[in-house]
Amino acid sequence: MLLKKKKREGARNIKGFLIWAVPLSIAFMLFGFLFTIQYNTQQSINTTLTDQTTNDLITLVQTLTEQRTKLEQELETLEEINTNLDLTTILQNEIEQLQIHGGSTEVTGEGVVITLTGDSPFVSYDLIDIINELFGSGAEAISINDTRITFTTSILDVTDSTNTKMITINGQRLLTPVVIKAIGDAETLETGLTFSGGIIDNLTTLYNITPTIQQKEEIIIPAVKSITDFQYMKIITE
Amino acid sequence: MRYLFIPIISLILGVLAGSALTFTIPVAYAKYLSIAVLAALDTLFGGIRAMVSDEFDGSILLAGFFSNTILAAALAFLGDQIGVDLYLAAVIALGIRLFTNAGIIRRTFIQNMKNRNEEKKALRKQKRIITVKTKEIVNNIENVEIITFEEK
């Protein structure tokens, strides 16, 4: 009887135990399941931007904008340097070339100095011949009495109202002694002038004009006094 | 109360199942699930409270568990549809209930422990009284034959 009683009590115990334990276990298990899923989801969300707090996002944006402006400034300076490098070198070269060609700057270098004294009976053609010869011998810049010879320079024989003959260069009277300076390889220039049957030889033998020629280490040739403005000439763009 | 380890084991089992799945809810629904989890937690606390105060009913617990989780999630969803933060209402209500239940559980536990102590004290007192009385009785009745009956 005692045993039976115990058994019955045990059965009641188990029944009572099951009554509360099973639902509670199910509830707990489901809770654990849901909680874990939610935890995982939240962890994955926390690493994305959408669930960041507003303050975090603001600081993030601020730092990013700062970085961006910094980088933009850097880029700007670098680009400036880059373009400056390119443009300045190209333009400088161009300007130098143009100045050399147009004669708008003072230039210096080795060359020859030809002096014609006042008592020699030379005319404008003689000067032109000398200049042509010099250019032909590779002269890079020539001046007559500090007037730069360019592609617009005119050398003329003029007889004025008082019937005196004179040579003008760019419309201005050429005074003696006439000093012709030419920059180039001094040796070549001199031989270009003085070879037998050359221009100086001719002048000496035919007209008794004896120019003196000096080779010089350093000759300074001035710039043109007025730069011509072109009115009619236009560049043909292809 | 000795078998509390069983729900804890099932909780661990649930956690393991959840992590084994390595499955995440789309971000748009994460909020609803969070409310559902909160509701589930609240139901569990309610269940524990009911057990502590001897009012436990398994069916009520399970029904409460499902209805609360679904209702909370649905409320949050509805709130989102009409532009009201209704999930806040659920959070506040559930949070308050959670704390209330926790308080009740704590108080009942302490009360139970106190009662048990007092019972023990009372028992000890009774025992002492009984022993004293029996001694008195034994002393008083010296010449009394003790007749025993056999149980039939």
Side-chain angles (χ1 to χ4, degrees), chain A residues 13 17 19-38 40-42 44-45 48 50, chain B residues 3 6-7 10-11 14-15 17-19 21 23-25 27 30 33-34 37 40-41 44 51 56 58 61-62 65-66:
Chain A
N13 269 354
F17 165 71
I19 277 172
W20 68 263
V22 168
L24 204 64
S25 296
I26 291 166
F28 264 90
M29 208 194 281
L30 283 172
F31 171 73
F33 182 69
L34 284 180
F35 180 84
T36 318
I37 287 173
Q38 174 60 16
N40 284 342
T41 312
Q42 198 62 31
S44 69
I45 289 168
T48 62
T50 43
Chain B
Y3 300 103
I6 286 172
S10 49
L11 177 71
V15 169
S19 8
L21 276 176
F23 144 88
T24 53
I25 296 279
V27 178
L33 185 64
S34 67
V37 168
L41 190 66
L44 288 187
M51 281 192 68
F56 184 78
L61 175 82
L62 279 185
F65 186 89
F66 288 112

Side-chain angles (χ1 to χ4, degrees), chain A residues 7-127:
Chain A
K7 231 181 188 174
R8 207 180 296 149
E9 233 169 73
R12 205 190 295 151
N13 269 354
I14 285 165
K15 212 179 170 188
F17 165 71
L18 284 179
I19 277 172
W20 68 263
V22 168
L24 204 64
S25 296
I26 291 166
F28 264 90
M29 208 194 281
L30 283 172
F31 171 73
F33 182 69
L34 284 180
F35 180 84
T36 318
I37 287 173
Q38 174 60 16
Y39 178 80
N40 284 342
T41 312
Q42 198 62 31
Q43 289 307 104
S44 69
I45 289 168
N46 279 350
T47 53
T48 62
L49 279 178
T50 43
D51 208 59
Q52 302 274 339
T53 61
T54 319
N55 283 341
D56 282 352
L57 287 173
I58 286 166
T59 44
L60 198 70
V61 166
Q62 274 173 347
T63 45
L64 283 177
T65 2
E66 264 172 40
Q67 277 181 355
R68 199 195 144 139
T69 43
K70 253 185 206 169
L71 286 173
E72 269 175 359
Q73 278 173 356
E74 210 179 303
L75 186 73
E76 224 168 83
T77 47
L78 284 174
E79 264 177 359
E80 216 170 280
I81 287 164
N82 193 24
T83 49
N84 276 1
L85 265 179
D86 279 3
L87 274 180
T88 43
T89 45
I90 290 165
L91 285 176
Q92 212 111 48
N93 286 343
E94 198 111 338
I95 286 166
E96 267 171 32
Q97 287 296 313
L98 286 171
Q99 280 173 342
I100 285 165
H101 282 296
S104 60
T105 51
E106 209 175 37
V107 289
T108 181
E110 66 163 308
V112 290
V113 177
I114 302 139
T115 316
L116 292 155
T117 48
D119 50 357
S120 37
F122 58 87
V123 289
S124 63
Y125 303 112
D126 299 328
L127 292 178

